[in-house]
Amino acid sequence: RTMEAIAAGKGRSPKPFMLGKTAAFKADAVWHSNRDETAPLAAPPVVKAKPRARKSAAAMPEFIAPQLCKSLSRPPPGSDWVHEIKLDGYRMQLRVANGNAVMRTRKGLDWTTKFARVAKSGEGLRDCILDGEVVALDHTGAPDFAALQAALSEGRSGDLIYFVFDLLFEAGEDLRPLPLTERKDRLKA
């Protein structure tokens, strides 16, 4: 219903989903909070972050299921959000342990042979798990999914680029509890 229809009391009345089938509502029902509208709103409490103690070395998992995108009609409100550029490629996780690099799909399948050059370039990194997207770029530098598929079918993994956007695990430390901005800073370093 439109806001005008609700205000005019037109259309179906709301379902009493919280009260069961016994309660009935009028189509023009308005909910009022128990809050005193004349009282000033209290400022939200300031929560200070507790200093994190360095955790002991954790065993590096074989695979970490990725957090996937969700479609929304508009960005969420507030300043606690970041955005990523949408890259048209394959979401891949690079796991490096003792100089051995493995590329896994978002379902956890081992595609190291398909992305052999990308995996080889990761062998020099210290033990870590990286999250990113493997893409092929066109002549203008834009991601080209058809070129990615062609490179894979022709075994040209050297033509591909791995855009890394998250550092999930590094040198015996699970970084997932850290804020994304902190993980990005560590990734950049």
Side-chain angles (χ1 to χ4, degrees), residues 29-41:
V30 176
W31 178 78
H32 297 280
S33 72
N34 295 332
R35 184 175 70 224
D36 179 3
E37 296 295 329
T38 61
L41 293 175

Side-chain angles (χ1 to χ4, degrees), residues 89-187:
Y90 283 119
R91 178 84 174 265
M92 299 296 295
Q93 192 171 100
L94 174 65
R95 181 182 189 273
V96 181
N98 301 317
N100 182 35
V102 176
M103 298 288 299
R104 295 198 184 274
T105 67
R106 66 186 196 170
K107 300 277 188 187
L109 301 175
D110 186 339
W111 277 20
T112 306
T113 56
K114 292 181 187 227
F115 298 111
R117 292 280 299 270
V118 176
K120 181 105 175 111
S121 67
E123 289 176 355
L125 298 173
R126 61 180 152 185
D127 291 0
C128 65
I129 297 179
L130 301 170
D131 192 9
E133 189 99 0
V134 175
V135 301
L137 301 177
D138 67 13
H139 66 282
T140 66
D144 183 345
F145 192 73
L148 171 62
Q149 290 179 314
L152 285 175
S153 67
E154 297 168 11
R156 294 183 289 111
S157 67
D159 294 348
L160 305 177
I161 300 193
Y162 185 42
F163 287 93
V164 180
F165 46 78
D166 202 354
L167 177 60
L168 305 173
F169 196 96
E170 179 190 30
E173 186 180 358
D174 187 347
L175 304 178
R176 291 173 289 170
L178 299 179
L180 176 62
T181 53
E182 242 179 89
R183 295 194 314 262
K184 286 185 172 293
D185 288 343
R186 287 180 69 161
L187 175 63

